[in-house]
Amino acid sequence: MLLVLALGVVLVAPSAQAKPATAKKKVKAAAVEGSPAPEATPSLEPKAIEVLKAASNRLAAARTLKFNAVHFYESSSRHGHPLAFTTKSEVTLQRPDKLRVIMSADGPASEFYYDGKKMMAYAPAENLVAIADAPGTLDAALEQAYHSAAIYFPFADWIVTDPYKEMSDGMKLAYYIGQSKVVGGTTTDMVAYIDHGVFIQAWIGADDKLPRLLHATYIEDPERLRHTLVLSDWQLDPAVPADSFTSAKAASANPMPFAHPHPETSPAAEPAAKGKPSKPHQTN
């Protein structure tokens, strides 16, 4: 998807007979004195905040949610080129304490289950499972999964109890861009904002208030690697079977520790910005 924002350029032609320099100075000074001072552009534009709050409220009001998330992300190769990878997550959640994420990827597939008491991270190809006690809310479980085992979902900010609060706690800038009729097969409002050191451009349904596309870069990343998240197939308040948030097959797999795969770079040892993953590790 390519979005082109055209910038208008105004060309002013000089008059046939130029005014003396002193006259120009007087005219300029008079214009400055007679013109009101320009208003400063707010760092958090009301229109952008309105769009983000509406999306947050729509998702927070749903007791159950189902959607698909396709994540395109770049990672530096050993040769220095940015390589692009993808994951697809089939997400089911029930508030306040249940989540299932079935993930296929360019690399190994994985499954994640949280039932309000336990968390399971399952690798089907290897038949390995990591199981840990979990806190009683989805927000706390997502935080614990990240800090204890580096498990992070790029859509996490949109499934917590109050998505706007999660964003606004670290929001430094937000502005409205305009509308698009390309993304998600519907009309979307485009907003841009900075959240915990990440610059994000979001396309959010103008009518249904559902996020459809997010494009992000880490501001302090010198390589400016890009992350794009496509959200689709939204279902709000669908019926969800009670056994959706556990798996007998996963529970019977070979056990492994529920721990960070790279302890020397564990978020618990060196916390990253709240709610955001650290920069991806180098990949071949």
Side-chain angles (χ1 to χ4, degrees), residues 35 49 51 57 60 67 69 80 94 114 119 124 133 142 147-148 153 165 191-192 208 221 240 248 274:
S35 301
I49 299 303
V51 171
N57 293 340
F67 63 93
Q94 179 176 304
Y114 163 62
M119 287 188 291
D133 291 332
L142 289 170
H147 286 288
S148 63
F153 303 113
K165 183 178 185 301
V191 297
D208 61 21
D221 177 12
V240 177
K274 180 185 176 184

Short mmCIF file of all heavy atoms in Angstrom, two decimals, residues 35 49 51 57 60 67 69 80 94 114 119 124 133 142 147-148 153 165 191-192 208 221 240 248 274:
data_model
loop_
_atom_site.label_atom_id
_atom_site.label_comp_id
_atom_site.label_asym_id
_atom_site.label_seq_id
_atom_site.Cartn_x
_atom_site.Cartn_y
_atom_site.Cartn_z
N SER A 35 -0.41 42.37 11.95
CA SER A 35 -0.89 40.99 11.90
C SER A 35 -0.84 40.37 13.29
O SER A 35 0.11 40.57 14.03
CB SER A 35 -0.02 40.15 10.96
OG SER A 35 -0.04 40.71 9.66
N ILE A 49 -7.05 13.14 18.78
CA ILE A 49 -7.42 12.53 20.06
C ILE A 49 -8.83 11.95 19.98
O ILE A 49 -9.12 10.86 20.49
CB ILE A 49 -7.32 13.57 21.19
CG1 ILE A 49 -5.89 14.09 21.31
CG2 ILE A 49 -7.80 12.97 22.51
CD1 ILE A 49 -4.85 13.02 21.54
N VAL A 51 -10.36 10.74 17.34
CA VAL A 51 -10.33 9.49 16.56
C VAL A 51 -9.78 8.34 17.40
O VAL A 51 -10.34 7.24 17.41
CB VAL A 51 -9.50 9.68 15.28
CG1 VAL A 51 -9.27 8.35 14.57
CG2 VAL A 51 -10.17 10.67 14.33
N ASN A 57 -12.69 3.36 22.79
CA ASN A 57 -13.99 3.10 23.43
C ASN A 57 -14.73 1.95 22.75
O ASN A 57 -15.38 1.14 23.42
CB ASN A 57 -14.85 4.36 23.40
CG ASN A 57 -14.28 5.47 24.27
OD1 ASN A 57 -13.49 5.22 25.16
ND2 ASN A 57 -14.69 6.70 23.99
N ALA A 60 -12.90 -1.28 23.86
CA ALA A 60 -13.01 -1.53 25.30
C ALA A 60 -14.40 -1.97 25.70
O ALA A 60 -14.58 -2.69 26.69
CB ALA A 60 -12.62 -0.26 26.07
N PHE A 67 -10.21 -11.24 15.84
CA PHE A 67 -9.68 -10.53 14.68
C PHE A 67 -8.39 -11.21 14.23
O PHE A 67 -7.82 -12.05 14.95
CB PHE A 67 -9.43 -9.04 14.99
CG PHE A 67 -8.39 -8.79 16.06
CD1 PHE A 67 -7.05 -8.57 15.74
CD2 PHE A 67 -8.75 -8.75 17.40
CE1 PHE A 67 -6.10 -8.33 16.71
CE2 PHE A 67 -7.81 -8.51 18.39
CZ PHE A 67 -6.49 -8.30 18.05
N ALA A 69 -4.44 -10.41 12.73
CA ALA A 69 -3.39 -9.38 12.69
C ALA A 69 -2.21 -9.91 11.90
O ALA A 69 -1.63 -10.94 12.26
CB ALA A 69 -2.96 -9.00 14.11
N GLY A 80 23.82 -6.31 6.82
CA GLY A 80 23.45 -4.91 6.95
C GLY A 80 22.18 -4.51 6.24
O GLY A 80 21.72 -3.38 6.40
N GLN A 94 -11.46 -12.73 25.69
CA GLN A 94 -12.66 -12.51 26.50
C GLN A 94 -12.26 -11.72 27.72
O GLN A 94 -11.36 -12.14 28.47
CB GLN A 94 -13.29 -13.86 26.90
CG GLN A 94 -14.53 -13.73 27.77
CD GLN A 94 -15.17 -15.07 28.06
OE1 GLN A 94 -15.50 -15.82 27.13
NE2 GLN A 94 -15.32 -15.39 29.32
N TYR A 114 -4.13 -18.11 27.57
CA TYR A 114 -4.23 -17.53 28.91
C TYR A 114 -5.68 -17.67 29.36
O TYR A 114 -6.59 -17.20 28.67
CB TYR A 114 -3.82 -16.06 28.88
CG TYR A 114 -4.23 -15.26 30.09
CD1 TYR A 114 -3.77 -15.57 31.37
CD2 TYR A 114 -5.11 -14.18 29.96
CE1 TYR A 114 -4.17 -14.83 32.48
CE2 TYR A 114 -5.50 -13.42 31.06
CZ TYR A 114 -5.03 -13.76 32.32
OH TYR A 114 -5.43 -13.03 33.41
N MET A 119 -0.67 -19.31 31.97
CA MET A 119 -0.26 -18.93 30.62
C MET A 119 0.50 -20.10 30.01
O MET A 119 1.33 -20.71 30.70
CB MET A 119 0.66 -17.70 30.65
CG MET A 119 -0.02 -16.41 30.96
SD MET A 119 1.10 -14.98 30.76
CE MET A 119 2.22 -15.25 32.13
N PRO A 124 4.30 -25.87 18.35
CA PRO A 124 3.78 -27.14 17.85
C PRO A 124 4.81 -27.99 17.09
O PRO A 124 4.84 -29.21 17.25
CB PRO A 124 2.62 -26.74 16.92
CG PRO A 124 2.56 -25.27 16.93
CD PRO A 124 3.59 -24.72 17.83
N ASP A 133 2.23 -19.68 36.11
CA ASP A 133 1.09 -19.07 36.80
C ASP A 133 0.89 -17.66 36.26
O ASP A 133 1.87 -16.97 35.92
CB ASP A 133 1.32 -19.03 38.30
CG ASP A 133 1.31 -20.43 38.92
OD1 ASP A 133 0.62 -21.31 38.37
OD2 ASP A 133 1.99 -20.63 39.94
N LEU A 142 -0.34 -9.74 30.07
CA LEU A 142 0.48 -9.28 28.95
C LEU A 142 1.79 -8.69 29.45
O LEU A 142 2.87 -8.92 28.88
CB LEU A 142 -0.29 -8.24 28.14
CG LEU A 142 -1.47 -8.76 27.32
CD1 LEU A 142 -2.28 -7.59 26.76
CD2 LEU A 142 -1.01 -9.67 26.19
N HIS A 147 7.78 -9.25 30.32
CA HIS A 147 8.94 -9.08 31.19
C HIS A 147 9.59 -10.41 31.58
O HIS A 147 10.80 -10.47 31.80
CB HIS A 147 8.55 -8.29 32.44
CG HIS A 147 8.35 -6.83 32.18
ND1 HIS A 147 9.40 -5.98 31.92
CD2 HIS A 147 7.23 -6.08 32.11
CE1 HIS A 147 8.94 -4.76 31.71
NE2 HIS A 147 7.62 -4.80 31.81
N SER A 148 8.83 -11.48 31.65
CA SER A 148 9.41 -12.74 32.09
C SER A 148 9.90 -13.60 30.92
O SER A 148 10.83 -14.39 31.08
CB SER A 148 8.40 -13.54 32.93
OG SER A 148 7.26 -13.88 32.14
N PHE A 153 2.97 -9.02 21.75
CA PHE A 153 2.10 -9.00 20.58
C PHE A 153 1.98 -7.56 20.08
O PHE A 153 1.67 -6.66 20.87
CB PHE A 153 0.72 -9.55 20.94
CG PHE A 153 0.75 -10.95 21.50
CD1 PHE A 153 0.41 -11.19 22.82
CD2 PHE A 153 1.17 -12.01 20.71
CE1 PHE A 153 0.45 -12.46 23.34
CE2 PHE A 153 1.22 -13.30 21.23
CZ PHE A 153 0.86 -13.52 22.55
N LYS A 165 -5.81 5.02 27.25
CA LYS A 165 -4.98 5.32 28.43
C LYS A 165 -3.58 4.76 28.23
O LYS A 165 -2.59 5.41 28.57
CB LYS A 165 -5.60 4.74 29.70
CG LYS A 165 -4.83 5.08 30.97
CD LYS A 165 -5.51 4.51 32.20
CE LYS A 165 -4.80 4.96 33.47
NZ LYS A 165 -3.38 4.56 33.51
N VAL A 191 -4.40 9.19 11.39
CA VAL A 191 -3.80 9.99 12.45
C VAL A 191 -2.36 9.54 12.65
O VAL A 191 -2.00 8.39 12.33
CB VAL A 191 -4.57 9.88 13.79
CG1 VAL A 191 -5.98 10.43 13.65
CG2 VAL A 191 -4.61 8.44 14.27
N ALA A 192 -1.54 10.42 13.17
CA ALA A 192 -0.16 10.08 13.51
C ALA A 192 0.09 10.49 14.95
O ALA A 192 -0.44 11.50 15.41
CB ALA A 192 0.82 10.78 12.57
N ASP A 208 -16.91 2.66 11.62
CA ASP A 208 -16.95 1.61 12.65
C ASP A 208 -15.91 1.81 13.76
O ASP A 208 -15.90 1.08 14.74
CB ASP A 208 -16.78 0.22 12.03
CG ASP A 208 -15.46 0.03 11.29
OD1 ASP A 208 -14.50 0.78 11.57
OD2 ASP A 208 -15.38 -0.88 10.44
N ASP A 221 15.81 4.51 16.81
CA ASP A 221 16.47 3.46 16.02
C ASP A 221 17.20 4.11 14.85
O ASP A 221 16.57 4.66 13.94
CB ASP A 221 15.41 2.48 15.50
CG ASP A 221 16.02 1.41 14.60
OD1 ASP A 221 17.26 1.29 14.56
OD2 ASP A 221 15.24 0.69 13.95
N VAL A 240 -18.06 -17.19 22.12
CA VAL A 240 -16.76 -17.85 22.20
C VAL A 240 -16.89 -19.08 23.09
O VAL A 240 -17.28 -18.96 24.26
CB VAL A 240 -15.68 -16.90 22.77
CG1 VAL A 240 -14.34 -17.63 22.91
CG2 VAL A 240 -15.51 -15.68 21.88
N ALA A 248 -5.42 -29.06 25.40
CA ALA A 248 -4.93 -30.31 25.99
C ALA A 248 -3.66 -30.76 25.29
O ALA A 248 -2.72 -31.27 25.93
CB ALA A 248 -6.01 -31.38 25.89
N LYS A 274 7.48 1.28 28.49
CA LYS A 274 6.30 0.55 28.90
C LYS A 274 5.45 0.16 27.71
O LYS A 274 5.10 0.97 26.89
CB LYS A 274 5.47 1.43 29.85
CG LYS A 274 4.20 0.74 30.33
CD LYS A 274 3.37 1.69 31.16
CE LYS A 274 2.06 1.05 31.56
NZ LYS A 274 1.19 1.96 32.28
#
